[in-house]
């Protein structure tokens, strides 16, 4: 099996290794993956399709950067996005659940956050993650990566999203 080459060398080796482990676990479990990405802008979907021989475990990815796209692509209610904020626990979970509903995948992960400076009240590096599975399991994670720059926040978010998917898949394999 070849190493992913498309994003190399921008993606750290440990993140690439984790992506391979995620795809191997999905393959062993016979499960497929879907992503719903905002601040990572499709990086996660790209990485999961870069691994030759395992990309069949990836169903699709949604890049829903704007509030409108979260509603159009993932079926979220604008009242939720505007009321809670696009970068929030309820929106991250709803994004993951929406990705499951709008795909044929078994496990979804969603990423929404502030990769850099946004509005005056936005915290650079705040990222919310949602993970949902067809069996009803859901989880949420909130990370405060800090004001470390857009690229570094996105890379850290990519790695954390992979950890959440991996944990979900390992739970499915243990059942």
């Amino acid at each position: 099996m070849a190493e992913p080459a498309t994003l190399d060398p921008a993606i750290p080796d440990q993140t690439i290794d984790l992506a391979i482990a995620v795809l191997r676990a999905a393959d062993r479990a016979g499960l497929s993956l879907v992503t719903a990405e905002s601040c990572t802008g499709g990086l996660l979907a790209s990485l999961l399709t870069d691994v030759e021989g395992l990309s069949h475990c990836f169903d699709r990815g949604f890049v829903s950067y704007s509030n409108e796209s979260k509603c159009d692509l993932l079926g979220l209610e604008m009242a939720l996005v505007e009321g809670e904020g696009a970068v929030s626990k309820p929106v991250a979970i709803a994004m993951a659940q929406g990705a499951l509903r709008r795909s044929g995948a078994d496990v979804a992960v969603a990423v929404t956050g502030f990769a850099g400076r946004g509005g005056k009240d936005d915290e650079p590096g705040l990222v919310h993650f949602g993970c949902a599975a067809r069996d009803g399991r859901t989880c949420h994670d909130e990370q405060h990566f800090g004001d470390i720059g857009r690229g570094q926040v996105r890379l850290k978010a990519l790695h954390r999203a992979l950890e959440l998917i991996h944990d979900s898949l390992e739970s499915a394999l243990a059942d």
Side-chain angles (χ1 to χ4, degrees):
M1 176 177 343
E3 290 288 316
T6 306
L7 296 174
D8 186 50
I11 305 297
D13 288 344
Q14 66 267 26
T15 302
I16 291 172
D17 292 344
L18 183 54
I20 293 168
V22 161
L23 290 166
R24 285 182 177 153
D27 190 45
R28 281 194 318 276
L31 300 174
S32 62
L33 310 173
V34 60
T35 60
E37 301 177 70
S38 184
C39 66
T40 49
L43 283 174
L44 182 55
S46 182
L47 183 58
L48 291 171
T49 59
D50 280 348
V51 181
E52 187 176 338
L54 290 172
S55 62
H56 65 277
C57 297
F58 184 74
D59 181 64
R60 69 189 75 181
F62 298 94
V63 178
S64 54
Y65 199 75
S66 70
N67 290 351
E68 292 77 13
S69 68
K70 288 173 180 60
C71 298
D72 292 344
L73 295 174
L74 301 170
L76 277 66
E77 295 293 327
M78 186 59 79
L80 173 70
V81 178
E82 290 177 347
E84 297 291 338
V87 180
S88 65
K89 176 181 179 175
V91 168
I93 291 171
M95 287 172 64
Q97 292 170 335
L100 279 181
R101 282 191 308 274
R102 303 266 171 117
S103 74
D106 304 294
V107 178
V109 69
V111 184
T112 183
F114 302 115
R117 296 209 172 269
K120 66 179 179 110
D121 294 329
D122 298 340
E123 176 190 336
L126 171 63
V127 182
H128 285 269
F129 303 85
C131 191
R134 289 250 179 241
D135 66 7
R137 295 180 209 202
T138 62
C139 71
H140 165 262
D141 187 52
E142 177 179 330
Q143 293 291 314
H144 300 265
F145 296 121
D147 193 1
I148 58 174
R150 291 180 67 79
Q152 287 303 307
V153 169
R154 289 164 50 119
L155 289 174
K156 288 184 177 295
L158 180 67
H159 192 86
R160 184 62 187 134
L162 288 166
E163 289 175 335
L164 290 172
I165 299 169
H166 193 261
D167 290 349
S168 180
L169 291 169
E170 289 299 318
S171 291
L173 285 167
D175 289 345

